[in-house]
Amino acid sequence: MRETLLLDVPHRQVVFTIHRMLHIFFPYKRRLLGDLCQAASVALLKYFQATIGHELRPGMVPVIQSFGQKINFHPHLHLLVTKGGEDSKGTFHHLASFQESLLSEFFSREVFALLLQQELISETLVEKLSGWRHPGFSVHNKVRARTKKEAERVGKYMIRPLLSLERLYFSEKEGKVLYRYREGAKDVERMD
């Protein structure tokens, strides 16, 4: 991946999460996960344009994840994104920072538009969710990669599997296979 896919510029991992009330649509309409990925990409493009003042073409590697730390259904996206992008003349413009609140606003608008277009939600629900103090959408972008090698390491983290064999073990006392969902955690989930 490092030699053929990544630009030799700083990257960021940008994680997009959606409102918990909207999770219900994704287990049954799995194609929506691809649409969700597209919504995040469009939000990033709009954010870059709003920040720089003209269209930029950043590099993006999106990864869809449908699970959380506790092996629960939790649709969210990880994108490895260049910290800037090229303009129409091929000049690369660096972005000093990613403003999470503004990027989250762009993302929520795209997700609402998607779900409205699919007729899965109503304008009334959009207004209600948008008016909440905590809108339920979030963007996290603290993970940085300054080199291609670091960007590749972040990319490998993004594609990690749901289960890790190192965290599975057999408890003779309980006669069950158990899974430790966090390193060093005392809580263990049963895998019956």
Side-chain angles (χ1 to χ4, degrees):
M1 179 169 98
R2 186 177 352 151
E3 284 76 28
T4 59
L5 189 60
L6 297 173
L7 296 173
D8 195 14
V9 297
H11 288 71
R12 289 253 175 129
Q13 177 191 17
V14 184
V15 180
F16 292 88
T17 58
I18 61 172
H19 196 289
R20 182 175 292 176
M21 284 182 65
L22 303 177
H23 288 192
I24 61 170
F25 304 114
F26 296 91
Y28 308 106
K29 294 184 175 245
R30 300 295 276 188
R31 289 181 184 218
L32 280 177
L33 290 169
D35 296 333
L36 188 64
C37 199
Q38 184 67 29
S41 298
V42 169
L44 274 163
L45 292 173
K46 288 181 177 181
Y47 174 79
F48 274 53
Q49 184 171 2
T51 305
I52 298 294
H54 55 275
E55 286 186 27
L56 291 181
R57 196 176 55 214
M60 290 187 244
V61 179
V63 175
I64 301 165
Q65 287 194 355
S66 59
F67 58 90
Q69 281 185 341
K70 296 182 179 181
I71 316 175
N72 56 325
F73 184 74
H74 176 63
H76 63 288
L77 308 166
H78 291 247
L79 279 80
L80 184 60
V81 182
T82 54
K83 202 174 162 195
E86 289 185 348
D87 62 19
S88 59
K89 297 176 184 172
T91 304
F92 192 87
H93 298 266
H94 287 272
L95 214 59
S97 64
F98 286 48
Q99 188 180 357
E100 291 176 345
S101 60
L102 183 56
L103 191 47
S104 180
E105 178 65 30
F106 281 119
F107 180 57
S108 67
R109 288 182 195 165
E110 294 300 319
V111 172
F112 285 144
L114 163 68
L115 297 176
L116 284 167
Q117 190 245 342
Q118 295 283 326
E119 299 180 353
L120 295 170
I121 60 173
S122 66
E123 289 283 352
T124 305
L125 182 60
V126 171
E127 288 175 25
K128 183 184 248 185
L129 294 179
S130 298
W132 287 7
R133 184 174 173 198
H134 299 289
F137 289 85
S138 69
V139 173
H140 179 273
N141 81 110
K142 303 293 187 249
V143 176
R144 298 178 177 136
R146 292 173 186 83
T147 65
K148 278 184 158 185
K149 188 172 184 172
E150 288 176 359
E152 183 178 34
R153 181 186 50 76
V154 172
K156 287 179 179 176
Y157 165 79
M158 289 171 26
I159 62 171
R160 72 192 184 283
L162 170 65
L163 295 174
S164 168
L165 293 178
E166 289 83 30
R167 294 183 182 184
L168 280 175
Y169 68 97
F170 181 74
S171 169
E172 288 186 36
K173 180 180 176 184
E174 295 188 44
K176 296 181 179 185
V177 174
L178 302 175
Y179 186 78
R180 189 169 284 113
Y181 63 88
R182 269 193 336 246
E183 293 286 334
K186 293 179 182 177
D187 300 323
V188 176
E189 287 199 11
R190 289 184 169 84
M191 302 288 292
D192 295 326

